[in-house]
């Protein structure tokens, strides 16, 4: 069974701080996706990374896919209260299904 | 486009009762999925479908059934509700590797 572990599980920070969320596995994925989920809603796709070593930026969010395509990170610069939510990574396995990570709950205080 | 819609939003069931969770998408996507999300956790795949008339089991299919008679609809059936099925259920559809999620159905089994 493929597993994706995210760390930290919970993160509570002040507005303006930087943070990094990690997504690790012993399995190789063909691609890795990051989602943000707000209370009472479904997850919304933020980004997909496909190539080992790939880095993608989305405003203040930087996503990196590990060289071996087993891990990924999400870095947020100068966090805002609007960044609050549950962040989920999801790896695409060799049958085109997504394996979701355990999630990181982020709270950004004004 | 409404995207992915789910009904009901919330339901309380007694142990042993049955119910159908409805999911409809208007994006003409072939792929559809049912996930469950337990508190503070990631999503686990229950069943998925690659097109009308074709369904397959995911990671946690026990206690559930699905059907896919049309491209638009992918209902999830619980035959004998158990407290372990208390969860939030998300339906999703996908194209080109991007999954679009519905708003979820919160189910409480007492």
């Amino acid at each position: 069974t493929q597993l994706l572990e995210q760390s930290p599980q919970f993160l509570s920070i002040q507005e303006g701080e930087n943070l990094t969320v990690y997504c690790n596995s012993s399995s190789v994925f063909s691609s890795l996706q990051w989602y943000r989920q707000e209370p009472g809603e479904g997850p919304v796709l933020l980004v997909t990374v496909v190539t080992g070593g790939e880095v993608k930026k989305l405003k203040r969010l930087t996503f990196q896919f590990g060289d071996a395509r087993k891990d990924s990170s999400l870095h947020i610069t100068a966090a805002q209260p609007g960044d609050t939510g549950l962040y989920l990574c999801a790896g695409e396995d060799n049958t085109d299904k997504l394996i979701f990570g355990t999630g990181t709950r982020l709270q950004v205080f004004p | 486009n409404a995207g992915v819609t789910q009904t009901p939003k919330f339901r309380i069931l007694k142990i042993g009762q049955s119910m159908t969770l409805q999911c409809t998408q208007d994006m003409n996507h072939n792929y559809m999925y049912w996930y469950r999300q337990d508190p503070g956790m990631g999503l686990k795949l229950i069943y998925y479908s690659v097109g009308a008339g074709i369904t397959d089991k995911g990671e946690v299919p026990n206690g559930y059934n699905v059907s896919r008679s049309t491209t638009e609809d992918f209902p999830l059936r619980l035959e004998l509700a158990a407290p372990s099925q208390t969860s939030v259920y998300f339906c999703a559809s996908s194209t080109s590797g991007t999954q679009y999620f519905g708003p979820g159905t919160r189910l409480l089994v007492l």
Side-chain angles (χ1 to χ4, degrees):
Chain A
T1 302
Q2 293 173 300
L3 292 173
L4 273 168
E5 297 284 342
Q6 285 184 239
S7 61
Q9 272 190 297
F10 301 98
L11 199 49
S12 184
I13 61 173
Q14 292 294 127
E15 182 176 1
E17 291 185 30
N18 301 332
L19 66 115
T20 302
V21 176
Y22 299 94
C23 174
N24 294 298
S25 176
S26 57
S27 303
V28 175
F29 294 100
S30 54
S31 71
L32 199 130
Q33 301 179 359
W34 284 93
Y35 290 80
R36 180 166 68 214
Q37 185 180 15
E38 301 193 16
E41 299 182 10
V44 175
L45 180 67
L46 295 173
V47 79
T48 301
V49 284
V50 178
T51 308
E54 182 177 1
V55 176
K56 277 192 175 176
K57 292 195 175 187
L58 187 66
K59 297 184 182 177
R60 294 176 292 100
L61 279 60
T62 301
F63 305 85
Q64 183 160 9
F65 202 10
D67 291 341
R69 292 187 288 131
K70 293 182 180 181
D71 54 82
S72 181
S73 64
L74 157 60
H75 182 78
I76 301 180
T77 304
Q80 304 292 311
D83 296 327
T84 292
L86 179 68
Y87 288 81
L88 296 163
C89 64
E92 186 177 4
D93 69 12
N94 56 7
T95 63
D96 297 334
K97 294 195 295 294
L98 289 181
I99 309 296
F100 278 84
T102 47
T104 294
R105 191 167 294 281
L106 172 65
Q107 177 80 51
V108 182
F109 291 98
Chain B
N1 285 352
V4 180
T5 56
Q6 292 183 240
T7 57
K9 282 190 166 63
F10 177 68
R11 182 78 182 267
I12 299 174
L13 280 183
K14 292 184 180 177
I15 294 171
Q17 285 186 319
S18 62
M19 78 165 291
T20 299
L21 284 68
Q22 302 291 346
C23 175
T24 300
Q25 54 97 2
D26 61 0
M27 297 175 282
N28 204 32
H29 292 165
N30 284 324
Y31 286 67
M32 294 187 74
Y33 311 82
W34 274 105
Y35 295 91
R36 59 176 287 173
Q37 184 177 36
D38 296 326
M41 301 294 288
L43 283 76
K44 291 192 184 298
L45 183 65
I46 305 171
Y47 270 96
Y48 67 101
S49 169
V50 300
I54 307 168
T55 63
D56 209 345
K57 296 178 181 179
E59 184 184 355
V60 290
N62 291 344
Y64 307 95
N65 273 304
V66 293
S67 60
R68 185 96 183 269
S69 56
T70 67
T71 298
E72 295 78 19
D73 300 306
F74 190 38
L76 177 72
R77 178 90 179 153
L78 282 71
E79 289 295 348
L80 289 169
S84 61
Q85 293 177 305
T86 292
S87 192
V88 181
Y89 292 83
F90 289 99
C91 178
S93 68
S94 76
T95 183
S96 303
T98 299
Q99 293 199 14
Y100 299 85
F101 287 83
T105 292
R106 187 173 296 273
L107 178 65
L108 181 59
V109 182
L110 298 174

